[in-house]
């Protein structure tokens, strides 16, 4: 059942009671915290999402309003080996139940195994929840699946490794500036 609910201001209790569903495709730019963790990408990176309202019975709480949230995106992340861009699929498939208070939500969340329990607010920003869940689903070390497209010198036997080791350290240049400026009046010496 498609509904007239707004994802930016969702009445979860009504949404779940009517077993409604919302779905959409949003540009990555609509999720600024998620976009910040990504490499600059060509336009067209999309987040696909689906939210279904339902009611869940939890032991000790009765039947609670709930959401089943699914989201997916192929995000441009930095490969941890070559630092180049790697398109990484990220998916979310979670269920959330909503308790009447923060205290009840914390107590029930400890007991529930396959559902997260949150406090019921008058309005929920579904896009913020989607963004939170996608951020938590990001891999810790994104990498190219097979081999990096750019050769990365990993050992002394790799071509170009010695040349990289001979480059002057930027910290050595800073130390030279610091040592060279100690005798001048700008560093507190009296003229």
């Amino acid at each position: 059942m498609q509904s007239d609910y707004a994802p930016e201001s969702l009445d979860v209790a009504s949404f779940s009671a009517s077993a409604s569903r919302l779905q959409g495709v949003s540009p990555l730019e609509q999720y600024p915290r998620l976009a910040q963790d990504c490499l600059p990408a060509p336009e067209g990176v999309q987040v696909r999402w689906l939210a279904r309202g339902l009611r869940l019975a939890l032991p000790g709480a009765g039947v609670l309003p709930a959401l089943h949230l699914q989201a997916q995106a192929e995000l441009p992340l930095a490969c941890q080996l070559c630092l180049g861009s790697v398109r990484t699929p990220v998916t979310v498939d979670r269920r959330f139940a909503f308790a009447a208070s923060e205290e009840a939500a914390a107590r029930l969340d400890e007991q529930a195994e396959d559902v997260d329990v949150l406090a019921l607010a008058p309005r929920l920003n579904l896009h913020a929840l989607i963004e939170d869940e996608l951020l938590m689903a990001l891999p810790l070390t994104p990498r190219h699946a097979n081999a990096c497209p750019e050769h990365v010198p990993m050992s002394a036997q790799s071509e170009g490794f010695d040349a990289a080791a001979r480059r002057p350290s930027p910290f050595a240049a800073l130390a030279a500036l610091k040592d060279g400026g100690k005798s001048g009046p700008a560093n507190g010496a009296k003229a």
Side-chain angles (χ1 to χ4, degrees), residues 141-159:
T141 55
R143 295 191 288 194
H144 288 97
N146 298 318
C148 293
E150 305 261 339
H151 176 70
V152 180
M154 301 295 276
S155 71
Q157 286 80 28
S158 297
E159 183 178 324

Side-chain angles (χ1 to χ4, degrees), residues 34-147:
L34 183 60
Q36 182 178 351
D37 279 359
C38 296
L39 293 176
E43 302 230 354
V45 176
Q46 303 285 321
V47 174
R48 298 180 186 289
W49 57 270
L50 168 66
R52 285 180 272 191
L54 53 123
R55 303 195 40 88
L56 288 177
L58 292 181
V63 178
L64 298 176
L67 284 177
H68 182 194
L69 177 65
Q70 296 172 302
Q72 64 184 32
E74 193 169 292
L75 302 174
L77 301 177
C79 173
Q80 296 301 295
L81 292 176
C82 69
L83 301 179
S85 181
V86 57
R87 296 284 260 186
T88 306
V90 179
T91 60
V92 169
D93 189 354
R94 306 282 302 268
R95 292 187 313 159
F96 300 92
F98 294 86
S101 68
E102 291 284 343
E103 296 79 23
R107 181 178 44 81
L108 292 169
D109 196 42
E110 289 178 8
Q111 300 168 0
E113 291 183 22
D114 61 341
V115 64
D116 289 320
V117 183
L118 305 173
L120 184 63
R123 299 284 177 199
L124 172 75
N125 184 334
L126 188 58
H127 288 298
L129 182 61
I130 292 167
E131 185 172 33
D132 289 344
E133 293 302 312
L134 286 169
L135 281 165
M136 289 189 288
L138 288 175
L140 292 176
T141 55
R143 295 191 288 194
H144 288 97
N146 298 318

